[in-house]
Amino acid sequence: MGAASCDGDGERNAVVVGLQPVALVDHVARVDWAMLESVPGERGGSIRVTATELEDILAQVNKHVLPNGDFSSPIRTLAGGSVANTLRGLAGGLGVRCKMVGARGNDEQGKMFATSMRSFQVDLSCLRVKSGPTGQCVCLVDALGNRTMRPCLSDAVRLQASELTREDFKGIKWLVLNGYGFYGEELVESAAHLAKLEGALVSMDLASFEVVRNFRPRLLKLLQSRKVDLCFANEDEARELMGGEPESTPESALKFLSQYCNNAVVMLGSKGCIARSGDEVVRAKAVEGGSVVDTTGAGDLFASGFLYGMINGLSLDHCCKLGCCTGAAVVQDLGGEIKQQGKKWMLQNMASMGLPVFQA
């Protein structure tokens, strides 16, 4: 593999840097459960597949399009990845200066990824361009908006821990990490260390219960280091982190996370969220009124709204409401990005709840 180049030049220091070691292109499709029976792994989860398996799934999608679907194509292709989703929500939806640290291939998928991210005003000056393929993921969405993800990353180019430099994090206020980064040896740990040298705060999303199960010792070690200032988890992820505790509740999960982080959030889907900052605990209801087409990116965009509140010094209650609002906006269309109509809906709801909109 040849030397990597960078994907453009940054103009100003970013407020938020997101670490996504592997650029992803999502292939999103609405399907019926009959089709999902033939896909390996648990429904609703995320397990890796080979390139051959990915092509087979995509071929099957064209035969199992959801009846009466209202989309012009069975498959919608767009830039993907949890961190990418969060950065797009912050930059394109809320005007926060964001930069991505990671790698993409020099193929057509990689170019499409870069074009999509730039359209949401995300700085790609620290996105390395390498010779090789870009990662891909099939996102299968059922009639209720639930999604099953099958990423193909085996041959995809990726960022290595040794490639990170302090310059990647210069001047930032927040680093956004995701549990999927643990697939890179020492990568998450190195990024957190370098960000702390710059005086930045660190946010961690646990990603999925499979990720927590696979990397629990490393995740706990990072949390115990006290380098994570804000942790996001859903109920399944928190339960897995607690060792599969069958009697765990959102409250007990929040208490567990708060041992290691000053700020912790347990996302409850349609029931809203519960969050803690120091000794303060806040519950927020989900924002109602929007349709649910695809839950892909709901947690990622919840993080966008919550972080936006933290960046601007808002109350914990406002941070929770912002997260619920941005999370509700993204589920109204296919894929993990807020489309123009969803953005309009989001801003209207923010205004009705008295939530301020800044330009960071």
Side-chain angles (χ1 to χ4, degrees):
M1 183 177 293
S5 60
C6 290
D7 208 336
D9 298 316
E11 296 180 357
R12 296 184 295 168
N13 284 345
V15 174
V16 176
V17 159
L19 176 72
Q20 184 167 310
V22 181
L24 275 176
V25 170
D26 282 347
H27 305 287
V28 189
R30 300 180 71 189
V31 296
D32 58 31
W33 281 115
M35 185 266 169
L36 296 185
E37 293 288 351
S38 62
V39 176
E42 299 177 57
R43 294 175 182 173
S46 175
I47 64 169
R48 297 188 177 193
V49 296
T50 66
T52 300
E53 288 172 325
L54 181 137
E55 291 301 324
D56 181 58
I57 294 170
L58 290 175
Q60 292 182 63
V61 166
N62 288 304
K63 301 177 182 179
H64 295 82
V65 180
L66 190 68
N68 302 316
D70 55 350
F71 301 101
S72 59
S73 174
I75 301 173
R76 178 175 291 178
T77 300
L78 65 161
S82 292
V83 171
N85 294 341
T86 297
L87 295 183
R88 281 183 301 203
L90 280 166
L94 297 166
V96 177
R97 298 194 305 279
C98 294
K99 178 170 67 176
M100 173 174 282
V101 174
R104 72 164 177 88
N106 61 349
D107 56 356
E108 288 303 313
Q109 304 278 23
K111 294 175 184 176
M112 192 282 286
F113 177 89
T115 298
S116 175
M117 295 303 292
R118 286 198 190 96
S119 72
F120 282 81
Q121 311 304 314
V122 176
D123 179 352
L124 301 182
S125 59
C126 290
L127 181 68
R128 281 70 164 175
V129 182
K130 298 186 177 185
S131 177
T134 301
Q136 299 184 67
C137 182
V138 180
C139 303
L140 306 173
V141 184
D142 70 13
L144 299 177
N146 302 310
R147 59 57 173 160
T148 297
M149 299 171 64
R150 293 296 177 262
C152 177
L153 306 173
S154 55
D155 297 322
V157 301
R158 64 180 57 243
L159 185 72
Q160 305 296 330
S162 60
E163 296 175 277
L164 290 173
T165 70
R166 191 164 173 176
E167 190 68 22
D168 291 325
F169 309 97
K170 184 178 180 181
I172 70 168
K173 294 182 179 179
W174 279 91
L175 167 64
V176 172
L177 298 174
N178 187 278
Y180 291 117
F182 282 113
Y183 284 101
E185 186 175 354
E186 294 299 320
L187 185 63
V188 167
E189 295 88 344
S190 296
H193 172 70
L194 291 171
K196 284 300 177 183
L197 291 178
E198 289 294 315
L201 298 171
V202 175
S203 167
M204 164 64 75
D205 189 306
L206 299 191
S208 75
F209 65 86
E210 296 101 335
V211 166
V212 178
R213 183 180 301 166
N214 292 337
F215 298 102
R216 186 170 180 267
R218 280 177 65 188
L219 176 55
L220 282 172
K221 185 177 179 180
L222 179 62
L223 291 174
Q224 290 163 357
S225 75
R226 308 295 297 184
K227 291 179 180 176
V228 176
D229 301 280
L230 169 62
C231 187
F232 295 101
N234 63 28
E235 292 180 88
D236 291 337
E237 294 156 4
R239 185 178 298 111
E240 195 69 42
L241 185 64
M242 296 168 69
E245 176 60 48
E247 302 301 321
S248 67
T249 63
E251 292 77 13
S252 63
L254 190 68
K255 183 178 179 180
F256 182 85
L257 292 173
S258 296
Q259 296 178 83
Y260 310 110
C261 308
N262 291 331
N263 306 281
V265 184
V266 178
M267 300 174 290
L268 305 174
S270 61
K271 295 178 288 184
C273 72
I274 180 172
R276 180 170 177 169
S277 180
D279 294 328
E280 182 184 9
V281 176
V282 165
R283 300 170 187 272
K285 296 180 180 180
V287 178
E288 300 179 350
S291 59
V292 178
V293 174
D294 175 12
T295 58
T296 301
D300 306 329
L301 270 295
F302 177 96
S304 297
F306 194 96
L307 275 166
Y308 174 77
M310 293 283 286
I311 290 165
N312 288 290
L314 300 184
S315 68
L316 183 61
D317 180 61
H318 277 177
C319 289
C320 289
K321 289 177 178 177
L322 280 162
C324 290
C325 191
T326 50
V330 76
V331 302
Q332 298 180 35
D333 206 338
L334 278 182
E337 62 184 34
I338 298 178
K339 307 298 191 298
Q340 195 59 39
Q341 188 62 31
K343 181 178 179 179
K344 181 180 178 181
W345 180 92
M346 176 186 75
L347 293 175
Q348 288 175 341
N349 276 273
M350 288 173 64
S352 68
M353 289 187 287
L355 301 173
V357 179
F358 305 97
Q359 289 295 315

